[in-house]
Amino acid sequence: MSRPELVLASASPRRIELLALVGITPDRVDPAEIDETPLKDETPSRLAARLAVSKAEAIAAGAPDAVVLAADTVVAVGRRLLEKPADEAEAVRFLKLLSGRNHRVFTGVAVTAGVRTTHRVVDTRVSFKVLSDPEIAAYVASGEWRGKAGGYGIQGRAGAFVTRLVGSFPAVMGLPLFETVNLLNGAGWRP
């Protein structure tokens, strides 16, 4: 019996790289287009879960025989969400807010197989050193902030800002590997 097609409901190159680290290559990449607007009073953890589940189910609706994997990452300082910065000025504001502080990264991962969707949320606590204005300016000039929740990518230059991390490094990059492999195995998909 052949295994079902694995569809990754994300165009993130980081997620594809992370999957490759554990020997998984999606059969197809089909990014989900959903409304990612947070609901009123929605916690960051619930937002990450809802978005991951919504993405998986949106793609699964058109691929009923496939196993669909989706994820979403939410960065929060308290209950304040730091989404993907719209421009350089917002990236600077985010980095100034994160400077010398702790924040949390919630990564939701969901797998849909047939009519069943399972999901997990991984909560990682990250501490940044105090960032100088020249460090912030150099980071923003690098462009690494573009398209990244919270305005930074831990796998790049911003890794030098991290003084402490409690949780999952791959989850902060965009995909918690332990939970992903377990969800795929639970759905009957194995590499």
Side-chain angles (χ1 to χ4, degrees):
M1 181 172 133
S2 66
R3 70 173 181 224
E5 176 185 42
L6 176 62
V7 180
L8 177 61
S10 170
S12 166
R14 291 169 303 285
R15 291 189 178 117
I16 293 168
E17 291 168 14
L18 286 165
L19 286 170
L21 290 176
V22 291
I24 297 173
T25 302
D27 297 301
R28 184 163 50 98
V29 174
D30 188 4
E33 296 295 328
I34 64 164
D35 180 0
E36 297 189 21
T37 306
L39 302 175
K40 186 177 188 303
D41 297 325
E42 188 170 37
T43 65
S45 177
R46 287 192 177 147
L47 175 63
R50 180 177 61 83
L51 294 178
V53 168
S54 295
K55 289 176 181 181
E57 291 177 346
I59 297 304
D65 296 327
V67 171
V68 179
L69 169 64
D72 199 87
T73 302
V74 175
V75 175
V77 176
R79 285 186 58 114
R80 180 174 176 188
L81 298 176
L82 301 183
E83 300 180 66
K84 296 172 185 172
D87 53 31
E88 288 184 3
E90 189 168 46
V92 168
R93 282 195 302 277
F94 284 4
L95 291 169
K96 285 186 177 199
L97 179 64
L98 295 171
S99 176
R101 296 182 74 166
N102 300 323
H103 63 279
R104 294 168 77 179
V105 179
F106 298 92
T107 304
V109 60
V111 171
T112 299
V115 296
R116 183 172 177 246
T117 300
T118 53
H119 75 279
R120 298 286 179 273
V121 176
V122 175
D123 176 359
T124 303
R125 295 169 192 274
V126 181
S127 302
F128 268 20
K129 71 178 194 141
V130 174
L131 302 174
S132 68
D133 289 341
E135 285 174 312
I136 291 172
Y139 186 76
V140 171
S142 78
E144 283 189 7
W145 59 272
R146 295 184 191 280
K148 295 187 175 70
Y152 75 91
I154 196 168
Q155 70 280 7
R157 296 172 190 213
F161 303 159
V162 177
T163 60
R164 187 164 189 248
L165 184 144
V166 178
S168 169
F169 182 85
V172 178
M173 281 182 64
L175 191 67
L177 294 176
F178 174 78
E179 291 78 6
T180 298
V181 169
N182 283 337
L183 288 173
L184 288 171
N185 287 341
W189 193 95
R190 287 174 177 76

